[in-house]
Each structure stands twice: as structure tokens, then as C-alpha cells.
Amino acid sequence: MMDLIKWSLDAIRSSSKELSWMEERRLEWAPLLASRLRYLIDGAPFIVICDEDRDWFESYLLRSINRKGSHRPILPFISLKSLYPRLNDINSKEEISLLDDMLSISFPNGFVYFYIGKSSSKLCAIAKNRASSYMWLFDEQAENSFYLSSTDENLDFKLLSMFRLFDRTIDAVLFGQVEL
């Protein structure tokens, strides 16, 4: 079995030029991803939240993660909007706590918020409230997050390429090619 950092470097280099920008950032990417994939391997669902500008990405991620023809088990990636349709009505720490309580009851073995979007979005506060969150965060460097700039003209392209690397990494972990 290969170390995730080494595997990530090989995966980045083997993917045309779409991930060349990630080569220098793999040391930020791999340890954070490994720590969060442990939750997934232990059966914790990933509760996906995207800011308003990334609704398209949330749809893409949820359609693609369990695509037809995949040779792996169906993975527990769930939209928070589907679990709590009044998500945009949350405006206080108390309401975030109530949401966390509901999800803790629903998922007694734990869960991970997977947030993709701007740090200024009120939805980001939900993910930041939980230590196990995994975030692709725009415009702020924070614990448990991979930093991106919302003004990067290649941001959408980077999100798609990051998803492909994320997806390939899950396969590598599930099929015993990578050690976490």
C-alpha cells in the first residue's frame, strides 16, 4: 500500500494538465483529506453544503459521487438542503445547534459537513461550528479547510479537477491502494 501523499503526487502527475496547480499544494490537500476519509470509511455520511453560487457544484458532486457503473459501494453523500429544506432560514448559533442535534440523532455514529463555498456565506457558519467538518473554503484560511480564492478565474475548473482527485482518492482508499 502507498502513502496518500505519494499516491496524490502520482495521481496529479498522471492527470493531463488539469491538476498541475495542485502539485505544490498536495501537502495541504492529502493530510486533511486523509483525516476526513477516515470518517467515511468508518461509515459517517458526508453532509454536503454549498454556498449559493456553488449550487451547480453541489448537484454535480451528488450526481457524480455515486455514478452509475462505478465499481464501489454507494457512498453516503447527502445534501443538507434535502435533509432540512429550511436551511436558508438558519440565522443564529442556537439554530445551528438545533440542526446539529437533529443530525446527531439521525446519524448517531457521526457525520461530516462537507462545505464548498465562500467563508462569508452564512451557510459556512454551520460547517465551521463542527470540528469534523471538511471545507473547500474561499477567501479564508481556516482549520479543516483547503483554501481557494473566489476571484480566481479558474475556480470552477479547479473545483471540478479537485472533485475528480477526491473521487479517485476514495477509490484508491476503498480498493486498498492507499493507506490512510
Side-chain angles (χ1 to χ4, degrees):
M1 266 203 258
M2 191 180 294
D3 167 81
L4 183 59
I5 293 174
K6 169 83 171 95
W7 182 90
S8 295
L9 179 61
D10 292 346
I12 289 166
R13 288 182 174 168
S14 71
S15 66
S16 58
K17 297 219 181 246
E18 74 180 59
L19 279 170
S20 59
W21 66 275
M22 263 297 252
E23 187 168 337
E24 64 189 43
R25 301 208 44 211
R26 74 186 185 285
L27 297 177
E28 299 167 55
W29 169 265
L32 177 61
L33 180 56
S35 68
R36 295 310 175 255
L37 287 182
R38 282 188 189 97
Y39 288 101
L40 186 65
I41 298 303
D42 291 341
F46 274 43
I47 309 298
V48 180
I49 313 167
C50 289
D51 69 9
E52 299 77 19
D53 293 338
R54 287 332 129 209
D55 279 341
W56 67 269
F57 186 73
E58 181 175 323
S59 296
Y60 175 79
L61 185 151
L62 293 168
R63 275 193 326 271
S64 301
I65 199 74
N66 290 310
R67 70 194 168 283
K68 189 173 184 174
S70 178
H71 298 291
R72 67 180 184 211
I74 295 174
L75 301 172
F77 282 77
I78 306 158
S79 169
L80 184 55
K81 289 177 194 166
S82 69
L83 294 172
Y84 189 68
R86 295 187 53 191
L87 182 61
N88 289 323
D89 295 341
I90 293 178
N91 291 311
S92 69
K93 285 191 178 275
E94 182 180 310
E95 291 170 324
I96 291 172
S97 292
L98 291 171
L99 176 66
D100 276 349
D101 289 346
M102 185 266 297
L103 292 172
S104 294
I105 291 167
S106 300
F107 305 107
N109 294 329
F111 62 93
V112 173
Y113 284 127
F114 183 9
Y115 177 76
I116 301 102
K118 291 182 180 180
S119 62
S120 59
S121 170
K122 71 177 185 177
L123 298 175
C124 184
I126 296 169
K128 284 182 174 180
N129 194 52
R130 191 164 186 87
S132 63
S133 291
Y134 179 53
M135 298 178 283
W136 295 355
L137 195 58
F138 308 163
D139 305 329
E140 179 185 344
Q141 293 185 347
E143 193 172 347
N144 302 327
S145 73
F146 186 81
Y147 171 82
L148 295 160
S149 172
S150 66
T151 60
D152 185 337
E153 64 185 32
N154 295 314
L155 179 60
D156 292 347
F157 173 78
K158 287 180 177 181
L159 287 173
L160 292 170
S161 61
M162 286 170 60
F163 172 76
R164 284 191 278 284
L165 181 59
F166 177 78
D167 193 50
R168 286 180 63 193
T169 305
I170 291 171
D171 281 347
V173 169
L174 289 176
F175 298 127
Q177 299 168 342
V178 172
E179 184 178 341
L180 292 180

